[in-house]
Amino acid sequence: MSSKGGRYRGSVKDYPDFDASQDAETLYKAMKGFGSDKQAILDLITARSNQQRIQIIQAYKSLYGKDLIDDLKYELTGKFERLIVGLMRPPAYFDAKEIKDALDGVGTDEKCLIEILASRNNQQIHALVEAYKDAYGRDLETDVVKDTSGHFKKMLIVLLQGTREEDDIVSDELVAQDAQDLFEAGEAKWGTEEAQFIFVLGSRSKTHLQLVFDEYEKIAGKTIEESIKAELSGDIEKLMLAVVKCVRSIRDYFATRLYKAMKGMGTADNTLIRIMVSRSEIDMMDIRESFRTQYEKSLYSMIKNDTSGEYKNALLNLCGGDDDAAGEYFPEAAQVAFQKWELSATTAARTELKGTIRPASDFNADSDGKALRKAMKGFGTDEDTIIDILTKRSNSQRQAIKQAFKSHFGRDLMADLKSELSGTLAKLILGLMMTPAQFDAKQINKAIVGAGTDEKVLIEIMATRNNQEIQAINEAYQEAYHKSLEDAISSDTSGHFKRILISLASANRDESGEDLEKAVEDAKCLRQFQEVSDSGSGDSASLETRFMTILCTRSYPHLRRVFQEFIKHTNHDIENTIKKEMSGDVKDAFVAIVRSVKNKPAFFAERLYKAMKGAGTDERTLSRILISRSEIDLFNIRQEFKNEYEKSLHHCLEVNGQADGDTGDGSDPFFTVVKMGPIYYGKCTRL
């Protein structure tokens, strides 16, 4: 058991007036006869501590001569069975079973190995090794060696020794030396000396490592996590990041694991079960608190919405209760949320935005024009050549190719491409051939004309472009459609949503830095709007106008400070306040602005993910974002995508390509061009 401030932080406690024989009889009756009383089983088992469950197993054996776990396996099925049986095992034997399952069968569940071995202390590791030997008659280290390889294997073996230093006495000299050694093993040299990372991260105490990480950031100018991501890859990268996360905050680590197990399509039930079982008597209350702080929703509510039946009920019992309504921070968590905006501002200031398409060296517009003409001349079309040229040239180079093509052949390159290509590939290539402003203008026009309005497209474009980009879109829209962008928006939208879009279309966002005094006043205005909305009284119209003015005209650095001050004055998060107080397109527009202010690449990464999740693929959204961000920040979007969803954007595009009819052999032109173009450049470096 762990404690926080002397308090027990588990969600499951010893049951008062416990009687092992009586509980054994209750379970026997629940499983006797036709069917079983699953609710009675889960209510009893999730209300007893692990030590009490072990006594129930012994009493059951004495009373009925039967193995309780065997009977539970017979009566229960699926995820519910795995959860209940897991609760009946001692913690070390539960970990041993999880490790065995991760190693056995086809492939290895590296994530399970990482989670368990990166998060357990020396005592727990020693107990795990002994339990594995006792349960399976095999040596755990030997099995790990057989089933893993490379530096990943070496780090796992170091962790399996259970020899991490545990004293809180720290030498400043050794802290400085370790930080310098890590810097010289990675950032300061060509290649990476993984052995140094393995030694320091695998053996030093948590207290020592926390100071090493602080010192490292001073030396390297970046966090240890950023360096690990840059220097390592694959399973060793994931393992090292898990160790760092557990050193910094083990409750944050498990909160993140739980969130990722339930977000998106499907649920990683094995992960969910493993964490809920293993942490229920250690730090589940801390994990719950971290979960609410990080994700502005309770762990209880997410489990409730993501699972069902007795399985859900058992998990909710282990959770130990619900937390406050989403959007309102725990008092002690408000400062953490405040600091997150500070970190967001720091990260934004030092992040270099990078595209994935750069100007081609030794560029020759005439040669490219001739090659394209040859690819389209005669019978059939050489699509590979077209793709290879146009996805490896910058937009300004493509405009030069268009001019050279016209000069040499007296033909319109866009018209020729349109006649030679078809489907999604044609749309993607023609989009690449437009200037960015022309492309955005066309996307807006398509979102407006015809039956219905695609508000999501309007929000995505108008909420994320800077003044210069908006001004260029205005000019391109007027030239292409002989109508002002403002008139087009006005004729097809209404109410507050129209006012927001027109405000954004005016390109009047301040682009200077923050003004702290003004930020405090703006935060107070946002708070007044919240108070009026909650009470249902007062002049909300003028406050709504002020709210819109703040979000649509203030600079990004200033808005970050406003959102910080809002937390300080209200103990609420601005995004959740918007979701609570607003609805429909207005809500979506303001949320898009907030997320763009916080982390624009992450906003686009989420849009890409949603375009590919579920049945079918939203190819229009994929094309639009890949084209429009390819020379701005697509490299950063790729990084955010991998960080958030633990898989590369390239991998998801491939999977969705096959799901939508791609054979996987490159025969689908859309996914061929995506792989050759925005997702890859030059050496086609994978995420």
Side-chain angles (χ1 to χ4, degrees):
M1 278 182 199
S2 70
S3 63
K4 179 183 176 184
R7 293 175 293 145
Y8 175 68
R9 301 301 292 168
S11 56
V12 175
K13 306 173 184 178
D14 285 339
Y15 189 76
D17 301 322
F18 170 66
D19 186 323
S21 296
Q22 183 177 321
D23 285 348
E25 184 179 351
T26 300
L27 290 173
Y28 181 77
K29 289 179 179 178
M31 294 185 284
K32 189 177 180 181
F34 182 74
S36 55
D37 187 346
K38 297 181 178 63
Q39 189 65 43
I41 294 170
L42 76 88
D43 282 342
L44 189 150
I45 290 176
T46 59
R48 306 298 187 268
S49 67
N50 187 266
Q51 193 174 41
Q52 290 175 334
R53 295 183 207 117
I54 302 305
Q55 293 179 50
I56 295 171
I57 291 174
Q58 295 167 348
Y60 194 91
K61 186 77 169 179
S62 298
L63 287 171
Y64 307 108
K66 304 178 72 174
D67 187 289
L68 176 56
I69 290 181
D70 286 344
D71 281 4
L72 288 168
K73 286 181 178 180
Y74 180 80
E75 294 291 335
L76 309 178
T77 59
K79 297 172 288 188
F80 182 52
E81 176 211 326
R82 186 179 180 92
L83 174 61
I84 293 298
V85 170
L87 287 168
M88 301 307 296
R89 293 190 173 100
Y93 284 82
F94 176 75
D95 280 350
K97 179 65 164 61
E98 293 293 302
I99 292 280
K100 180 177 179 293
D101 289 348
L103 294 172
D104 283 352
V106 180
T108 303
D109 185 352
E110 290 86 2
K111 289 182 180 179
C112 174
L113 298 180
I114 290 169
E115 178 195 299
I116 292 175
L117 296 182
S119 65
R120 301 318 193 239
N121 60 34
N122 290 347
Q123 184 179 351
Q124 291 167 330
I125 291 289
H126 295 153
L128 161 62
V129 171
E130 292 175 10
Y132 192 91
K133 182 74 171 178
D134 180 53
Y136 308 112
R138 305 206 308 251
D139 179 66
L140 177 53
E141 182 176 326
T142 302
D143 284 359
V144 168
V145 168
K146 286 192 298 185
D147 219 56
T148 58
S149 61
H151 296 293
F152 178 58
K153 175 181 70 177
K154 293 176 184 177
M155 184 62 176
L156 290 177
I157 297 307
V158 168
L159 295 174
L160 271 173
Q161 305 313 302
T163 55
R164 184 180 296 284
E165 298 166 356
E166 293 186 325
D167 60 77
D168 292 331
I169 301 173
V170 177
S171 163
D172 291 339
E173 290 183 5
L174 187 56
V175 166
Q177 185 62 55
D178 280 347
Q180 186 65 37
D181 287 346
L182 289 175
F183 177 68
E184 291 177 359
E187 294 288 344
K189 67 179 298 184
W190 181 261
T192 307
E193 191 179 327
E194 289 87 351
Q196 191 64 45
F197 280 83
I198 291 172
F199 171 71
V200 174
L201 296 182
S203 63
R204 301 300 194 210
S205 72
K206 288 188 174 182
T207 303
H208 176 88
L209 285 174
Q210 288 166 354
L211 297 175
V212 169
F213 298 159
D214 292 340
E215 184 66 23
Y216 181 89
E217 189 166 357
K218 295 176 186 176
I219 296 171
K222 60 174 66 174
T223 65
I224 187 68
E225 290 94 336
E226 290 172 319
S227 288
I228 288 172
K229 290 175 184 177
E231 297 295 326
L232 305 175
S233 62
D235 293 327
I236 183 61
E237 174 197 348
K238 294 173 185 174
L239 177 54
M240 290 299 190
L241 288 173
V243 170
V244 171
K245 185 82 170 181
C246 289
V247 167
R248 289 196 187 278
S249 172
I250 200 161
R251 68 180 192 170
D252 288 352
Y253 171 72
F254 281 115
T256 299
R257 290 282 292 154
L258 285 168
Y259 178 74
K260 290 184 176 180
M262 291 182 281
K263 71 173 296 188
M265 292 295 293
T267 304
D269 291 293
N270 286 354
T271 299
L272 182 56
I273 291 168
R274 186 168 56 248
I275 297 173
M276 297 303 293
V277 170
S278 65
R279 311 309 295 187
S280 60
E281 293 184 52
I282 300 176
D283 53 4
M284 184 55 67
M285 300 298 287
D286 293 331
I287 292 169
R288 271 173 43 182
E289 188 175 295
S290 173
F291 195 96
R292 270 278 283 105
T293 302
Q294 291 189 70
Y295 305 111
E296 288 99 41
K297 64 180 71 176
S298 71
L299 174 60
Y300 187 97
S301 66
M302 196 160 185
I303 290 173
K304 188 175 182 179
N305 293 330
D306 212 63
T307 58
S308 62
E310 288 85 8
Y311 174 56
K312 174 184 73 175
N313 295 338
L315 288 170
L316 293 178
N317 286 356
L318 293 178
C319 188
D322 202 356
D323 298 312
D324 297 338
E328 183 174 356
Y329 292 109
F330 295 108
E332 61 268 30
Q335 185 60 32
V336 175
F338 182 90
Q339 291 169 350
K340 280 188 175 182
W341 279 108
E342 195 76 49
L343 179 62
S344 171
T346 303
T347 302
R350 74 183 188 192
T351 297
E352 178 188 358
L353 297 179
K354 293 188 289 185
T356 51
I357 288 185
R358 309 164 197 167
S361 58
D362 301 324
F363 170 66
N364 188 307
D366 291 338
S367 297
D368 284 346
K370 291 175 183 177
L372 288 171
R373 175 62 179 155
K374 183 179 178 181
M376 293 185 286
K377 192 175 180 181
F379 182 75
T381 304
D382 184 355
E383 292 178 345
D384 288 343
T385 295
I386 296 171
I387 291 168
D388 193 50
I389 292 174
L390 297 182
T391 61
K392 293 182 180 177
R393 306 294 185 269
S394 67
N395 190 271
S396 62
Q397 289 176 334
R398 293 186 210 115
Q399 304 312 310
I401 294 171
K402 281 167 61 176
Q403 294 174 351
F405 195 88
K406 186 79 170 179
S407 298
H408 277 287
F409 307 109
R411 301 173 67 89
D412 186 301
L413 177 55
M414 293 282 281
D416 280 5
L417 288 168
K418 193 171 184 179
S419 67
E420 294 292 328
L421 305 175
S422 62
T424 309
L425 176 61
K427 294 175 183 176
L428 190 62
I429 291 296
L430 291 171
L432 288 169
M433 294 305 300
M434 297 177 183
T435 66
Q438 289 170 343
F439 180 72
D440 279 347
K442 183 170 184 179
Q443 300 303 304
I444 290 172
N445 181 256
K446 289 169 68 176
I448 289 175
V449 300
T453 304
D454 191 339
E455 292 84 2
K456 288 184 179 179
V457 172
L458 298 180
I459 291 169
E460 178 195 298
I461 295 175
M462 301 305 296
T464 60
R465 300 325 191 234
N466 60 35
N467 288 347
Q468 185 179 353
E469 291 166 335
I470 293 286
Q471 289 165 358
I473 293 170
N474 272 291
E475 294 171 7
Y477 199 95
Q478 179 70 52
E479 181 180 354
Y481 306 108
H482 309 293
K483 186 177 185 179
S484 74
L485 178 59
E486 182 177 330
D487 286 345
I489 290 171
S490 295
S491 64
D492 214 62
T493 57
S494 61
H496 289 300
F497 183 55
K498 178 177 77 174
R499 293 175 60 199
I500 294 168
L501 293 179
I502 289 175
S503 178
L504 294 172
S506 66
N508 285 327
R509 187 178 294 283
D510 182 13
E511 294 188 336
S512 61
E514 68 177 68
D515 181 332
L516 180 56
E517 186 175 340
K518 189 176 180 181
V520 172
E521 290 301 312
D522 285 345
K524 288 179 179 178
C525 175
L526 299 184
R527 181 185 65 183
Q528 289 172 351
F529 171 78
Q530 178 197 26
E531 291 170 348
V532 168
S533 296
D534 286 342
S535 65
S537 61
D539 181 16
S540 62
S542 61
L543 287 172
E544 286 173 355
T545 299
R546 184 76 190 279
F547 193 104
M548 182 187 72
T549 300
I550 291 169
L551 265 68
C552 294
T553 66
R554 304 294 195 255
S555 71
Y556 276 21
H558 180 81
L559 284 174
R560 291 187 187 100
R561 180 62 68 180
V562 172
F563 300 155
Q564 267 190 309
E565 294 298 319
F566 184 79
I567 290 173
K568 181 188 291 185
H569 288 93
T570 68
N571 213 37
H572 281 70
D573 173 74
I574 187 63
E575 183 178 331
N576 278 280
T577 296
I578 290 169
K579 290 177 179 177
K580 177 185 176 185
E581 306 296 347
M582 300 177 182
S583 61
D585 299 326
V586 171
K587 177 194 72 175
D588 293 342
F590 281 144
V591 167
I593 292 171
V594 171
R595 289 185 176 175
S596 187
V597 167
K598 190 172 187 178
N599 187 332
K600 191 178 291 185
F603 168 78
F604 283 115
E606 182 182 30
R607 290 281 292 152
L608 287 169
Y609 178 74
K610 287 182 176 179
M612 291 181 282
K613 70 178 287 191
T617 301
D618 181 358
E619 292 181 350
R620 287 183 61 185
T621 297
L622 286 183
S623 298
R624 186 173 59 252
I625 296 175
L626 292 172
I627 290 170
S628 65
R629 311 311 296 183
S630 60
E631 292 184 56
I632 301 173
D633 56 1
L634 188 54
F635 183 83
N636 308 85
I637 293 169
R638 282 167 41 179
Q639 291 179 312
E640 293 293 340
F641 193 98
K642 186 180 181 184
N643 290 342
E644 183 65 21
Y645 305 109
E646 295 188 330
K647 60 188 74 175
S648 71
L649 177 56
H650 169 253
H651 169 77
C652 288
L653 287 166
E654 279 194 322
V655 169
N656 276 269
Q658 291 166 14
D660 290 343
D662 181 12
T663 62
D665 60 2
S667 60
D668 183 328
F670 172 67
F671 287 95
T672 300
V673 75
V674 167
K675 286 184 282 185
M676 294 180 65
I679 300 306
Y680 284 124
Y681 180 79
K683 295 182 179 179
C684 301
T685 304
R686 286 182 179 269
L687 278 173

